[in-house]
Amino acid sequence: MSAAETQRMQRAQNTRHVAYRAIPVPQSCGADAKRQQAAGRTTTGDTITAGARHDGICSIYLKLPEVTRAALVQAQGALERTVYTASDGQDTAFLLGYHRPHTAQEKLCTFSGAERLREGLVEYAALHAIRGSHVITVKTEPGVYAEQAMTTDDGQSWHPLDEHEHYRQTTEFTCGPVSLLNAMHRLHPQVTANRVDELHIWREATIAMACEPYGLALSAMKRGEQPRIIVSKTGPVLNPADGAMGMLDAAMSLDVQEHFATQAHAAGIPVEVMPFTAADVAKRLDGGRVALVLIDEHVMHGEICPHWVTVTGMLADGTLLVDDPWIDEPYGETLVDAYQLPIRQADFDLMIHYDEPASAQAMIIL
C-alpha cells in the first residue's frame, strides 16, 4: 500500500461512527429514470435501483437528493457509475463517481448532503475506487474536494487545469487536428491550440470529414515537426465504403488518401508498415516522444467510429497516459475526464483495431 493510500485510509477512519457505502449503478438505471420522467411518472423518480448483481445480492433502494439524481440520469451513455454514501445516523451525504469503460480512472463529482461528511466521503470513495482492479487514478471535479487535488495511488498529483493545458475538439470530426495540436503543446508548451488552427489543419488533412495519418503528418511537418508514420498495411488507411464516417464520396476519399501518401513519401516522411500493439506504442515514447494513435471509439465511448488520441507517456506500471480530444459533455464529462487519462495496455489493445481488415492501424510519432 502506497503512502498516499495509507494516508487516505487513516483520514477516512478518523471520522468515527459514520457508515460508508459504495453502490454500483446498473447501466439501465439512468435511461429508465429518464424514460419515467418523460412519461410523467414520479413514483420512482427520486430513487434508483442499485447494487443489483448476478450473484444474488438483493436490489437496494436509495433515496437520492435531486442534484445527485439529476447527475446520475445525465451520466449514462457508456459510463460506469457508482453512488457513494455516508451517514452518521442523523445526516447523509452523497457523491457520484464514474469512469469510461476500459480506462483506469474514476472521477468523483456532484457532492450533495451534509457538508461535514464531505471529506470523509471523498476519502472513502477514492480508497474504494483504487482498491478496485480497474482504477489507478482518482480525480475530483473542482468543488467536490476542498483541496481540489487529483491524485494517483502512487502519490502523483494533477493540479487544476488551465485553459491551455488541454484543448478539446470543437467539432464532431476534428479529433485528428486537435490530437496533433495537443501533441505539439506537450512538446512545445509555447504552442497553444485554438479553433483557427484546429480548422486550418483539418482543411489541410481531411479526406471528407475524417483525417488520415499521411495528411496529418504533412501538417505536422509544415509546422516544424519531424513526424514518423506507422501503418499496418500499405494503401488507404480508412475504408470509406458504404458512406461510413460521413464520407460524401468514397472514391474521392480513397483518391485523396493516395494523394496524401504520395506527398508524404515525396517529402521524405519515414513510413513503417507493420501491425502494432499497445506495447509497441509504449516503446515509441522513449526520449519524450508522443504518439497520435487511431482508435475505435466504441470501446471507450460506445460509438463505432475512428478517433485520434494523443499518447503522451506512461505510469511506472506501463499504463499509458492519453489526452483524448473528445469530451462527452451531454453526460457531464469535463476536461478532467479526458486529460492524462490512464489506460492499461491490455485495454488500449482493444482500441487500436478500427474496422480491420478493411481499414488499417495507424499512428504518428512526433
Side-chain angles (χ1 to χ4, degrees):
M1 184 181 296
S2 69
E5 185 176 353
T6 301
Q7 188 178 30
R8 278 193 293 271
M9 178 181 289
Q10 289 172 343
R11 284 206 295 261
Q13 290 174 342
N14 285 339
T15 307
R16 296 182 179 179
H17 310 301
V18 177
Y20 297 103
R21 296 167 70 195
I23 305 174
V25 180
Q27 197 63 32
S28 61
C29 169
D32 287 344
K34 198 169 187 178
R35 281 196 296 271
Q36 290 169 356
Q37 189 177 40
R41 297 180 214 161
T42 58
T43 55
T44 57
D46 60 352
T47 64
I48 63 169
T49 303
R53 302 177 185 174
H54 298 295
D55 58 8
I57 296 177
C58 294
S59 296
I60 302 168
Y61 292 87
L62 177 67
K63 185 85 171 179
L64 291 178
E66 174 58 27
V67 63
T68 308
R69 188 197 67 79
L72 183 62
V73 172
Q74 180 186 40
Q76 40 185 306
L79 296 176
E80 297 180 6
R81 297 154 294 159
T82 303
V83 173
Y84 298 99
T85 73
S87 177
D88 62 1
Q90 290 183 322
D91 295 314
T92 305
F94 299 87
L95 184 64
L96 178 62
Y98 60 72
H99 69 276
R100 298 176 180 181
H102 296 284
T103 67
Q105 171 175 296
E106 173 125 336
K107 184 178 82 169
L108 304 177
C109 62
T110 320
F111 174 87
S112 58
E115 181 69 27
R116 61 189 179 78
L117 296 175
R118 177 194 299 260
E119 182 171 349
L121 181 56
V122 172
E123 297 291 354
Y124 166 80
L127 180 60
H128 181 276
I130 286 174
R131 280 178 167 173
S133 60
H134 66 280
V135 170
I136 292 175
T137 301
V138 175
K139 297 180 183 176
T140 58
E141 283 284 20
V144 167
Y145 195 32
E147 298 175 3
Q148 296 186 4
M150 296 176 281
T151 61
T152 66
D153 61 344
D154 61 2
Q156 187 175 352
S157 178
W158 277 262
H159 52 279
L161 304 179
D162 66 38
E163 60 179 319
H164 297 301
E165 206 148 4
H166 182 75
Y167 180 80
R168 66 145 297 169
Q169 63 191 88
T170 62
T171 78
E172 298 261 339
F173 42 80
T174 48
C175 55
V178 172
S179 290
L180 174 57
L181 288 168
N182 282 334
M184 292 173 62
H185 175 68
R186 175 71 53 174
L187 296 170
H188 320 289
Q190 72 275 15
V191 176
T192 57
N194 56 73
R195 182 172 167 84
V196 171
D197 289 337
E198 173 187 359
L199 298 181
H200 196 170
I201 294 173
W202 175 77
R203 291 172 62 198
E204 294 174 353
T206 187
I207 58 172
M209 300 302 178
C211 292
E212 53 82 76
Y214 295 97
L216 285 173
L218 287 164
S219 291
M221 175 176 274
K222 184 181 296 187
R223 287 159 179 78
E225 303 295 339
Q226 297 180 328
R228 176 179 293 271
I229 299 171
I230 297 94
V231 290
S232 60
K233 66 179 183 179
T234 58
V237 167
L238 292 174
N239 170 40
D242 302 321
M245 302 178 295
M247 301 297 187
L248 304 179
D249 186 319
M252 181 193 74
S253 297
L254 292 172
D255 289 342
V256 172
Q257 289 187 77
E258 295 281 8
H259 180 61
F260 278 144
T262 299
Q263 284 185 302
H265 287 295
I269 296 176
V271 178
E272 297 179 52
V273 180
M274 55 170 282
F276 57 84
T277 65
D280 295 320
V281 176
K283 291 176 184 176
R284 302 285 179 158
L285 302 178
D286 290 344
R289 294 181 176 87
V290 296
L292 281 67
V293 183
L294 182 69
I295 68 168
D296 189 340
E297 276 198 288
H298 182 262
V299 176
M300 185 165 51
H301 296 289
E303 286 187 42
I304 299 174
C305 184
H307 183 57
W308 288 96
V309 297
T310 307
V311 183
T312 65
M314 288 187 296
L315 295 176
D317 67 353
T319 298
L320 299 173
L321 292 174
V322 175
D323 284 344
D324 185 353
W326 181 255
I327 298 171
D328 269 326
E329 290 178 338
Y331 298 141
E333 287 194 340
T334 65
L335 295 180
V336 171
D337 297 275
Y339 171 75
Q340 293 294 272
L341 179 63
I343 303 177
R344 288 188 172 89
Q345 292 187 24
D347 290 306
F348 203 65
D349 273 325
L350 301 175
M351 303 180 187
I352 56 177
H353 299 279
Y354 171 77
D355 191 33
E356 287 186 320
S359 297
Q361 291 180 288
M363 67 172 158
I364 304 168
I365 307 300
L366 298 185

mmCIF file of all heavy atoms in Angstrom, residues 327-360:
data_model
loop_
_atom_site.group_PDB
_atom_site.id
_atom_site.type_symbol
_atom_site.label_atom_id
_atom_site.label_comp_id
_atom_site.label_asym_id
_atom_site.label_seq_id
_atom_site.Cartn_x
_atom_site.Cartn_y
_atom_site.Cartn_z
ATOM 1 N N ILE A 327 -14.817 15.014 -25.511
ATOM 2 C CA ILE A 327 -15.411 15.055 -24.176
ATOM 3 C C ILE A 327 -16.922 14.933 -24.340
ATOM 4 O O ILE A 327 -17.537 15.705 -25.085
ATOM 5 C CB ILE A 327 -15.067 16.370 -23.449
ATOM 6 C CG1 ILE A 327 -13.546 16.484 -23.249
ATOM 7 C CG2 ILE A 327 -15.777 16.458 -22.099
ATOM 8 C CD1 ILE A 327 -13.100 17.840 -22.750
ATOM 9 N N ASP A 328 -17.523 13.956 -23.665
ATOM 10 C CA ASP A 328 -18.965 13.757 -23.737
ATOM 11 C C ASP A 328 -19.659 14.711 -22.774
ATOM 12 O O ASP A 328 -20.146 14.317 -21.703
ATOM 13 C CB ASP A 328 -19.321 12.298 -23.397
ATOM 14 C CG ASP A 328 -19.355 11.424 -24.634
ATOM 15 O OD1 ASP A 328 -19.755 11.926 -25.705
ATOM 16 O OD2 ASP A 328 -18.970 10.248 -24.535
ATOM 17 N N GLU A 329 -19.747 15.976 -23.158
ATOM 18 C CA GLU A 329 -20.357 16.984 -22.301
ATOM 19 C C GLU A 329 -21.819 16.686 -21.966
ATOM 20 O O GLU A 329 -22.259 16.949 -20.844
ATOM 21 C CB GLU A 329 -20.219 18.369 -22.941
ATOM 22 C CG GLU A 329 -18.781 18.870 -22.936
ATOM 23 C CD GLU A 329 -18.631 20.216 -23.619
ATOM 24 O OE1 GLU A 329 -19.519 20.564 -24.439
ATOM 25 O OE2 GLU A 329 -17.655 20.911 -23.340
ATOM 26 N N PRO A 330 -22.624 16.111 -22.887
ATOM 27 C CA PRO A 330 -24.013 15.795 -22.512
ATOM 28 C C PRO A 330 -24.115 14.820 -21.335
ATOM 29 O O PRO A 330 -25.143 14.761 -20.675
ATOM 30 C CB PRO A 330 -24.586 15.175 -23.794
ATOM 31 C CG PRO A 330 -23.760 15.750 -24.890
ATOM 32 C CD PRO A 330 -22.378 15.864 -24.316
ATOM 33 N N TYR A 331 -23.049 14.032 -21.087
ATOM 34 C CA TYR A 331 -23.054 13.084 -19.978
ATOM 35 C C TYR A 331 -22.313 13.618 -18.753
ATOM 36 O O TYR A 331 -21.995 12.866 -17.835
ATOM 37 C CB TYR A 331 -22.437 11.762 -20.411
ATOM 38 C CG TYR A 331 -23.197 11.081 -21.533
ATOM 39 C CD1 TYR A 331 -22.511 10.426 -22.549
ATOM 40 C CD2 TYR A 331 -24.581 11.103 -21.573
ATOM 41 C CE1 TYR A 331 -23.209 9.798 -23.578
ATOM 42 C CE2 TYR A 331 -25.278 10.484 -22.598
ATOM 43 C CZ TYR A 331 -24.599 9.840 -23.599
ATOM 44 O OH TYR A 331 -25.281 9.227 -24.619
ATOM 45 N N GLY A 332 -22.009 14.900 -18.761
ATOM 46 C CA GLY A 332 -21.383 15.513 -17.604
ATOM 47 C C GLY A 332 -19.870 15.460 -17.604
ATOM 48 O O GLY A 332 -19.238 15.802 -16.600
ATOM 49 N N GLU A 333 -19.256 15.041 -18.702
ATOM 50 C CA GLU A 333 -17.797 14.995 -18.740
ATOM 51 C C GLU A 333 -17.217 16.400 -18.899
ATOM 52 O O GLU A 333 -17.829 17.283 -19.506
ATOM 53 C CB GLU A 333 -17.309 14.109 -19.887
ATOM 54 C CG GLU A 333 -17.507 12.639 -19.644
ATOM 55 C CD GLU A 333 -16.710 11.774 -20.616
ATOM 56 O OE1 GLU A 333 -16.311 12.267 -21.698
ATOM 57 O OE2 GLU A 333 -16.478 10.606 -20.277
ATOM 58 N N THR A 334 -16.004 16.587 -18.361
ATOM 59 C CA THR A 334 -15.259 17.831 -18.485
ATOM 60 C C THR A 334 -13.821 17.484 -18.855
ATOM 61 O O THR A 334 -13.484 16.321 -19.097
ATOM 62 C CB THR A 334 -15.282 18.613 -17.159
ATOM 63 O OG1 THR A 334 -14.577 17.846 -16.159
ATOM 64 C CG2 THR A 334 -16.704 18.877 -16.689
ATOM 65 N N LEU A 335 -12.960 18.490 -18.861
ATOM 66 C CA LEU A 335 -11.551 18.250 -19.187
ATOM 67 C C LEU A 335 -10.922 17.205 -18.277
ATOM 68 O O LEU A 335 -10.014 16.480 -18.690
ATOM 69 C CB LEU A 335 -10.756 19.559 -19.082
ATOM 70 C CG LEU A 335 -11.101 20.676 -20.075
ATOM 71 C CD1 LEU A 335 -10.224 21.890 -19.813
ATOM 72 C CD2 LEU A 335 -10.937 20.212 -21.500
ATOM 73 N N VAL A 336 -11.390 17.123 -17.032
ATOM 74 C CA VAL A 336 -10.839 16.160 -16.079
ATOM 75 C C VAL A 336 -10.931 14.732 -16.619
ATOM 76 O O VAL A 336 -10.054 13.904 -16.401
ATOM 77 C CB VAL A 336 -11.557 16.274 -14.721
ATOM 78 C CG1 VAL A 336 -11.161 15.152 -13.783
ATOM 79 C CG2 VAL A 336 -11.242 17.627 -14.078
ATOM 80 N N ASP A 337 -12.003 14.440 -17.358
ATOM 81 C CA ASP A 337 -12.211 13.082 -17.867
ATOM 82 C C ASP A 337 -11.276 12.738 -19.016
ATOM 83 O O ASP A 337 -11.001 11.564 -19.258
ATOM 84 C CB ASP A 337 -13.655 12.924 -18.346
ATOM 85 C CG ASP A 337 -14.652 13.087 -17.216
ATOM 86 O OD1 ASP A 337 -14.910 12.104 -16.518
ATOM 87 O OD2 ASP A 337 -15.158 14.214 -17.027
ATOM 88 N N ALA A 338 -10.809 13.732 -19.745
ATOM 89 C CA ALA A 338 -10.079 13.476 -20.984
ATOM 90 C C ALA A 338 -8.594 13.773 -20.907
ATOM 91 O O ALA A 338 -7.829 13.350 -21.778
ATOM 92 C CB ALA A 338 -10.693 14.309 -22.120
ATOM 93 N N TYR A 339 -8.155 14.480 -19.874
ATOM 94 C CA TYR A 339 -6.759 14.904 -19.758
ATOM 95 C C TYR A 339 -5.955 13.867 -18.986
ATOM 96 O O TYR A 339 -6.332 13.479 -17.882
ATOM 97 C CB TYR A 339 -6.693 16.261 -19.049
ATOM 98 C CG TYR A 339 -5.303 16.720 -18.677
ATOM 99 C CD1 TYR A 339 -4.435 17.198 -19.650
ATOM 100 C CD2 TYR A 339 -4.858 16.689 -17.358
ATOM 101 C CE1 TYR A 339 -3.161 17.635 -19.315
ATOM 102 C CE2 TYR A 339 -3.594 17.132 -17.014
ATOM 103 C CZ TYR A 339 -2.748 17.591 -18.006
ATOM 104 O OH TYR A 339 -1.492 18.022 -17.672
ATOM 105 N N GLN A 340 -4.848 13.403 -19.594
ATOM 106 C CA GLN A 340 -3.965 12.431 -18.954
ATOM 107 C C GLN A 340 -4.765 11.249 -18.414
ATOM 108 O O GLN A 340 -4.658 10.864 -17.242
ATOM 109 C CB GLN A 340 -3.141 13.098 -17.848
ATOM 110 C CG GLN A 340 -2.139 14.112 -18.368
ATOM 111 C CD GLN A 340 -1.040 13.449 -19.212
ATOM 112 O OE1 GLN A 340 -0.033 13.009 -18.702
ATOM 113 N NE2 GLN A 340 -1.239 13.378 -20.527
ATOM 114 N N LEU A 341 -5.552 10.673 -19.292
ATOM 115 C CA LEU A 341 -6.407 9.540 -18.953
ATOM 116 C C LEU A 341 -5.576 8.264 -18.955
ATOM 117 O O LEU A 341 -5.001 7.898 -19.979
ATOM 118 C CB LEU A 341 -7.532 9.445 -19.986
ATOM 119 C CG LEU A 341 -8.535 8.316 -19.862
ATOM 120 C CD1 LEU A 341 -9.322 8.429 -18.563
ATOM 121 C CD2 LEU A 341 -9.490 8.339 -21.065
ATOM 122 N N PRO A 342 -5.483 7.549 -17.826
ATOM 123 C CA PRO A 342 -4.686 6.318 -17.795
ATOM 124 C C PRO A 342 -5.465 5.147 -18.400
ATOM 125 O O PRO A 342 -6.618 4.897 -18.044
ATOM 126 C CB PRO A 342 -4.433 6.103 -16.294
ATOM 127 C CG PRO A 342 -5.580 6.775 -15.617
ATOM 128 C CD PRO A 342 -6.015 7.912 -16.494
ATOM 129 N N ILE A 343 -4.820 4.442 -19.328
ATOM 130 C CA ILE A 343 -5.421 3.271 -19.978
ATOM 131 C C ILE A 343 -4.380 2.161 -19.985
ATOM 132 O O ILE A 343 -3.276 2.338 -20.502
ATOM 133 C CB ILE A 343 -5.855 3.583 -21.424
ATOM 134 C CG1 ILE A 343 -6.846 4.761 -21.453
ATOM 135 C CG2 ILE A 343 -6.481 2.356 -22.071
ATOM 136 C CD1 ILE A 343 -7.272 5.176 -22.848
ATOM 137 N N ARG A 344 -4.725 1.042 -19.396
ATOM 138 C CA ARG A 344 -3.800 -0.093 -19.383
ATOM 139 C C ARG A 344 -3.576 -0.605 -20.798
ATOM 140 O O ARG A 344 -4.452 -0.517 -21.659
ATOM 141 C CB ARG A 344 -4.340 -1.208 -18.480
ATOM 142 C CG ARG A 344 -4.270 -0.879 -16.993
ATOM 143 C CD ARG A 344 -4.640 -2.100 -16.152
ATOM 144 N NE ARG A 344 -4.387 -1.858 -14.744
ATOM 145 C CZ ARG A 344 -5.271 -1.316 -13.908
ATOM 146 N NH1 ARG A 344 -6.469 -0.969 -14.358
ATOM 147 N NH2 ARG A 344 -4.981 -1.133 -12.632
ATOM 148 N N GLN A 345 -2.392 -1.161 -21.016
ATOM 149 C CA GLN A 345 -2.047 -1.593 -22.365
ATOM 150 C C GLN A 345 -2.999 -2.655 -22.897
ATOM 151 O O GLN A 345 -3.351 -2.654 -24.080
ATOM 152 C CB GLN A 345 -0.600 -2.090 -22.402
ATOM 153 C CG GLN A 345 0.418 -0.974 -22.195
ATOM 154 C CD GLN A 345 1.852 -1.426 -22.397
ATOM 155 O OE1 GLN A 345 2.120 -2.405 -23.085
ATOM 156 N NE2 GLN A 345 2.787 -0.704 -21.790
ATOM 157 N N ALA A 346 -3.469 -3.563 -22.039
ATOM 158 C CA ALA A 346 -4.415 -4.591 -22.492
ATOM 159 C C ALA A 346 -5.713 -3.961 -22.986
ATOM 160 O O ALA A 346 -6.315 -4.439 -23.957
ATOM 161 C CB ALA A 346 -4.699 -5.578 -21.360
ATOM 162 N N ASP A 347 -6.145 -2.882 -22.340
ATOM 163 C CA ASP A 347 -7.349 -2.190 -22.786
ATOM 164 C C ASP A 347 -7.084 -1.386 -24.049
ATOM 165 O O ASP A 347 -7.945 -1.321 -24.943
ATOM 166 C CB ASP A 347 -7.866 -1.272 -21.674
ATOM 167 C CG ASP A 347 -8.443 -2.041 -20.500
ATOM 168 O OD1 ASP A 347 -9.329 -2.881 -20.731
ATOM 169 O OD2 ASP A 347 -7.998 -1.828 -19.364
ATOM 170 N N PHE A 348 -5.917 -0.760 -24.133
ATOM 171 C CA PHE A 348 -5.586 0.015 -25.332
ATOM 172 C C PHE A 348 -5.497 -0.902 -26.549
ATOM 173 O O PHE A 348 -5.830 -0.489 -27.666
ATOM 174 C CB PHE A 348 -4.279 0.783 -25.123
ATOM 175 C CG PHE A 348 -4.138 1.984 -26.027
ATOM 176 C CD1 PHE A 348 -5.012 3.056 -25.905
ATOM 177 C CD2 PHE A 348 -3.134 2.054 -26.974
ATOM 178 C CE1 PHE A 348 -4.892 4.169 -26.735
ATOM 179 C CE2 PHE A 348 -2.999 3.153 -27.803
ATOM 180 C CZ PHE A 348 -3.880 4.217 -27.685
ATOM 181 N N ASP A 349 -5.047 -2.144 -26.331
ATOM 182 C CA ASP A 349 -5.003 -3.109 -27.436
ATOM 183 C C ASP A 349 -6.387 -3.330 -28.043
ATOM 184 O O ASP A 349 -6.506 -3.634 -29.231
ATOM 185 C CB ASP A 349 -4.431 -4.447 -26.959
ATOM 186 C CG ASP A 349 -2.915 -4.496 -27.037
ATOM 187 O OD1 ASP A 349 -2.350 -3.892 -27.976
ATOM 188 O OD2 ASP A 349 -2.294 -5.130 -26.170
ATOM 189 N N LEU A 350 -7.433 -3.196 -27.233
ATOM 190 C CA LEU A 350 -8.796 -3.366 -27.741
ATOM 191 C C LEU A 350 -9.212 -2.202 -28.634
ATOM 192 O O LEU A 350 -10.127 -2.347 -29.452
ATOM 193 C CB LEU A 350 -9.779 -3.484 -26.576
ATOM 194 C CG LEU A 350 -9.564 -4.622 -25.585
ATOM 195 C CD1 LEU A 350 -10.572 -4.503 -24.433
ATOM 196 C CD2 LEU A 350 -9.682 -5.969 -26.268
ATOM 197 N N MET A 351 -8.555 -1.052 -28.464
ATOM 198 C CA MET A 351 -8.986 0.168 -29.143
ATOM 199 C C MET A 351 -8.318 0.398 -30.487
ATOM 200 O O MET A 351 -8.821 1.173 -31.302
ATOM 201 C CB MET A 351 -8.714 1.383 -28.244
ATOM 202 C CG MET A 351 -9.366 1.313 -26.887
ATOM 203 S SD MET A 351 -8.986 2.791 -25.898
ATOM 204 C CE MET A 351 -9.694 2.310 -24.307
ATOM 205 N N ILE A 352 -7.173 -0.221 -30.735
ATOM 206 C CA ILE A 352 -6.339 0.182 -31.876
ATOM 207 C C ILE A 352 -6.550 -0.687 -33.107
ATOM 208 O O ILE A 352 -5.633 -0.864 -33.915
ATOM 209 C CB ILE A 352 -4.843 0.191 -31.474
ATOM 210 C CG1 ILE A 352 -4.412 -1.173 -30.929
ATOM 211 C CG2 ILE A 352 -4.582 1.294 -30.457
ATOM 212 C CD1 ILE A 352 -2.928 -1.233 -30.576
ATOM 213 N N HIS A 353 -7.762 -1.195 -33.267
ATOM 214 C CA HIS A 353 -8.057 -2.055 -34.422
ATOM 215 C C HIS A 353 -9.359 -1.623 -35.085
ATOM 216 O O HIS A 353 -10.241 -2.438 -35.328
ATOM 217 C CB HIS A 353 -8.140 -3.518 -33.977
ATOM 218 C CG HIS A 353 -6.887 -4.036 -33.375
ATOM 219 N ND1 HIS A 353 -5.822 -4.477 -34.117
ATOM 220 C CD2 HIS A 353 -6.513 -4.164 -32.068
ATOM 221 C CE1 HIS A 353 -4.847 -4.865 -33.306
ATOM 222 N NE2 HIS A 353 -5.245 -4.680 -32.065
ATOM 223 N N TYR A 354 -9.495 -0.349 -35.402
ATOM 224 C CA TYR A 354 -10.719 0.125 -36.023
ATOM 225 C C TYR A 354 -10.931 -0.513 -37.396
ATOM 226 O O TYR A 354 -10.045 -0.460 -38.264
ATOM 227 C CB TYR A 354 -10.704 1.661 -36.166
ATOM 228 C CG TYR A 354 -11.860 2.154 -37.006
ATOM 229 C CD1 TYR A 354 -13.142 2.213 -36.465
ATOM 230 C CD2 TYR A 354 -11.677 2.485 -38.338
ATOM 231 C CE1 TYR A 354 -14.216 2.615 -37.232
ATOM 232 C CE2 TYR A 354 -12.752 2.890 -39.116
ATOM 233 C CZ TYR A 354 -14.015 2.948 -38.567
ATOM 234 O OH TYR A 354 -15.076 3.328 -39.345
ATOM 235 N N ASP A 355 -12.092 -1.138 -37.586
ATOM 236 C CA ASP A 355 -12.562 -1.584 -38.899
ATOM 237 C C ASP A 355 -11.566 -2.490 -39.625
ATOM 238 O O ASP A 355 -11.492 -2.485 -40.851
ATOM 239 C CB ASP A 355 -12.876 -0.357 -39.771
ATOM 240 C CG ASP A 355 -13.623 -0.710 -41.047
ATOM 241 O OD1 ASP A 355 -14.423 -1.666 -41.015
ATOM 242 O OD2 ASP A 355 -13.386 -0.039 -42.069
ATOM 243 N N GLU A 356 -10.768 -3.265 -38.863
ATOM 244 C CA GLU A 356 -9.881 -4.205 -39.554
ATOM 245 C C GLU A 356 -10.689 -5.394 -40.073
ATOM 246 O O GLU A 356 -11.673 -5.808 -39.439
ATOM 247 C CB GLU A 356 -8.794 -4.697 -38.589
ATOM 248 C CG GLU A 356 -7.737 -3.658 -38.287
ATOM 249 C CD GLU A 356 -6.600 -4.242 -37.444
ATOM 250 O OE1 GLU A 356 -6.869 -5.042 -36.521
ATOM 251 O OE2 GLU A 356 -5.458 -3.880 -37.719
ATOM 252 N N PRO A 357 -10.319 -5.956 -41.229
ATOM 253 C CA PRO A 357 -9.167 -5.623 -42.067
ATOM 254 C C PRO A 357 -9.446 -4.568 -43.134
ATOM 255 O O PRO A 357 -8.551 -4.241 -43.918
ATOM 256 C CB PRO A 357 -8.829 -6.962 -42.714
ATOM 257 C CG PRO A 357 -10.172 -7.600 -42.899
ATOM 258 C CD PRO A 357 -10.981 -7.191 -41.696
ATOM 259 N N ALA A 358 -10.685 -4.052 -43.196
ATOM 260 C CA ALA A 358 -10.988 -3.079 -44.248
ATOM 261 C C ALA A 358 -10.163 -1.806 -44.090
ATOM 262 O O ALA A 358 -9.677 -1.235 -45.069
ATOM 263 C CB ALA A 358 -12.482 -2.746 -44.224
ATOM 264 N N SER A 359 -10.003 -1.348 -42.855
ATOM 265 C CA SER A 359 -9.143 -0.203 -42.568
ATOM 266 C C SER A 359 -7.861 -0.705 -41.917
ATOM 267 O O SER A 359 -7.729 -1.896 -41.615
ATOM 268 C CB SER A 359 -9.854 0.790 -41.646
ATOM 269 O OG SER A 359 -11.002 1.333 -42.269
ATOM 270 N N ALA A 360 -6.913 0.201 -41.700
ATOM 271 C CA ALA A 360 -5.604 -0.191 -41.167
ATOM 272 C C ALA A 360 -5.351 0.491 -39.820
ATOM 273 O O ALA A 360 -5.976 1.504 -39.487
ATOM 274 C CB ALA A 360 -4.496 0.182 -42.145
#
